[in-house]
Amino acid sequence: MTGSLKIVGLGPGSADLLTPEVVAAVDNATDVLGYVPYVARVAPRPGLTLHPSDNRVELDRANHALQIAASGGHSVLVSSGDPGVFAMASAVFEALEHGPAEWLKLDVQVLPGITAMLAAAARLGAPLGHDFCAINLSDNLKPWELVERRVRLAAEADFAMAFYNPRSASRPHQFARILELLSECCEPERLISFARAVTTPEERLATVALADATPDMADMRTVVLVGNSATRRIGRWVYTPRSAL
Amino acid sequence: MTGSLKIVGLGPGSADLLTPEVVAAVDNATDVLGYVPYVARVAPRPGLTLHPSDNRVELDRANHALQIAASGGHSVLVSSGDPGVFAMASAVFEALEHGPAEWLKLDVQVLPGITAMLAAAARLGAPLGHDFCAINLSDNLKPWELVERRVRLAAEADFAMAFYNPRSASRPHQFARILELLSECCEPERLISFARAVTTPEERLATVALADATPDMADMRTVVLVGNSATRRIGRWVYTPRSAL
């Protein structure tokens, strides 16, 4: 029996954004693994074992999924959004790098999904319609100095920016520091959007001038989008023009 | 009769990556507009008018789609990938900004899709698994100096990078200049991946060290992914670790 591992993206929340290949992967799985709230999005059925696990145990979860595939199971590792954007795909390749050599022969596939920043951008208009960057503001896996340095260089490059994991209970001061840093690099009118739990019943969207942004506008379910210097409002929309000077 | 305009992303090519909301939008359209090869992906049916148009007429196409919605039609503007990433969404908001004020009351929605860089990343492994940026290398709508400046700052920030529209027949020297510039900023072993026509029958993937990259490895159907300084190979995969120093 030949097993497999598929690392799949469930999109931001709505089933309307699930790709057919991800639906098929989940339908054919023997085991689904992932962070508790993502596994909760998979319907139980006979023949399927659900393995919800805690946040911050990504490598253990990746190893477990690879072990299941190595024993002939069809394991599916679920991420929200896209598995390649601040999610489980990198953790699996880290586990592969440090695991037994025979794991490299396993049937492993990454199936993309709609990532939070693009779902948020679509709801807001087109704030990422020109060159942009995506930065994970968590310093769990990198020094905080590097986060600040990247935000500063992104502002200097006049990229629109998407911030993932902007704020958690354990580090509330850091997002305040990012807003301060942006104020040093950008004009006070710069548009900043807070998109929370996009496409779910808890969705909340807000766009303000940077000068009016406060740290409590973001939490860990929020993706923050910062416009470039040309980003503007038109009616209820926020968009970044395709051209730049 | 109240019209509508939906600006939708068809994904990179495979129908397996089309979201249900995009399929429903196309099924309910009276008019589908877009660049010739994207409209060709929509099946003709009675009651649906297809409006294929040439490249570089984005604003005319956006105005046409808005006019159809204003006259009560259900127009769908198709982009490949995601409409908010170097595609039609920004063009529509530009048209809205310069159009009649009553257009602002129209029912306009942007429906996201799987963008080329994330489909390519999934096929390759997880090259965008840490902070990254997306840059359109075309200088149709911005000065070439700005392209160079952004690539240089992105390398300084140690972002992984995705390049859209890397090369066209009319400007073959520019991508050669980008490779030269990267060689000045990055080590020769830096991994660079060329992902052409991902998820279509013409898909072609290649990853080489920067020192071995040549301009002819890219064309306009290619998205180019440049790793950050930690991006590595493991087996047949390319991935960027979640952590950074």
Side-chain angles (χ1 to χ4, degrees), chain B:
Chain B
M1 184 177 173
T2 311
S4 65
L5 166 57
K6 293 188 164 74
I7 311 149
V8 313
L10 297 178
S14 164
D16 270 352
L17 293 178
L18 270 174
T19 66
E21 70 174 13
V22 166
V23 172
V26 170
D27 285 350
N28 296 317
T30 57
D31 297 83
V32 168
L33 304 90
Y35 177 41
V36 177
Y38 309 148
V39 173
R41 288 168 59 187
V42 174
R45 60 171 163 79
L48 172 65
T49 308
L50 300 177
H51 306 266
S53 51
D54 205 1
N55 213 350
R56 303 218 188 174
V57 294
E58 287 83 1
L59 270 185
D60 293 344
R61 186 189 297 145
N63 277 307
H64 188 188
L66 285 159
Q67 280 154 6
I68 291 170
S71 345
H74 296 290
S75 59
V76 168
L77 202 41
V78 291
S79 289
S80 95
D82 182 281
V85 179
F86 310 125
M88 284 303 299
S90 284
V92 168
F93 296 110
E94 277 173 54
L96 269 178
E97 190 171 3
H98 299 103
E102 59 266 31
W103 279 5
L104 290 176
K105 295 180 203 141
L106 287 173
D107 175 12
V108 175
Q109 281 183 62
V110 182
L111 307 186
I114 304 288
T115 185
M117 68 178 166
L118 297 183
R123 298 296 257 180
L124 291 159
L128 304 178
H130 196 71
D131 303 332
F132 66 95
C133 65
I135 304 178
N136 186 341
L137 294 193
S138 165
D139 66 346
N140 285 341
L141 293 163
K142 65 187 164 193
W144 177 251
E145 295 65 37
L146 184 60
V147 178
E148 287 203 12
R149 184 176 149 73
R150 285 184 174 155
V151 171
R152 202 179 285 279
L153 286 164
E156 195 180 332
D158 201 17
F159 281 126
M161 304 176 213
F163 297 147
Y164 283 73
N165 302 318
R167 191 159 182 261
S168 76
S170 60
R171 44 183 183 83
H173 57 287
Q174 291 183 340
F175 185 58
R177 173 65 195 131
I178 290 295
L179 289 178
E180 192 180 276
L181 194 162
L182 287 170
S183 304
E184 292 163 18
C185 308
C186 307
E187 65 292 351
E189 301 77 22
R190 181 68 62 101
L191 293 179
I192 179 167
S193 299
F194 297 85
R196 183 174 189 279
V198 169
T199 81
T200 77
E202 294 83 42
E203 176 175 304
R204 209 170 57 211
L205 303 171
T207 299
V208 298
L210 179 56
D212 298 323
T214 54
D216 57 293
M217 290 176 173
D219 65 13
M220 281 306 268
R221 295 190 69 191
T222 306
V223 62
V224 177
L225 303 184
V226 182
N228 75 12
S229 60
T231 303
R232 62 191 77 181
R233 291 178 193 260
I234 171 71
R236 61 193 183 280
W237 306 102
V238 179
Y239 90 97
T240 301
R242 299 168 302 147
S243 55
L245 300 180

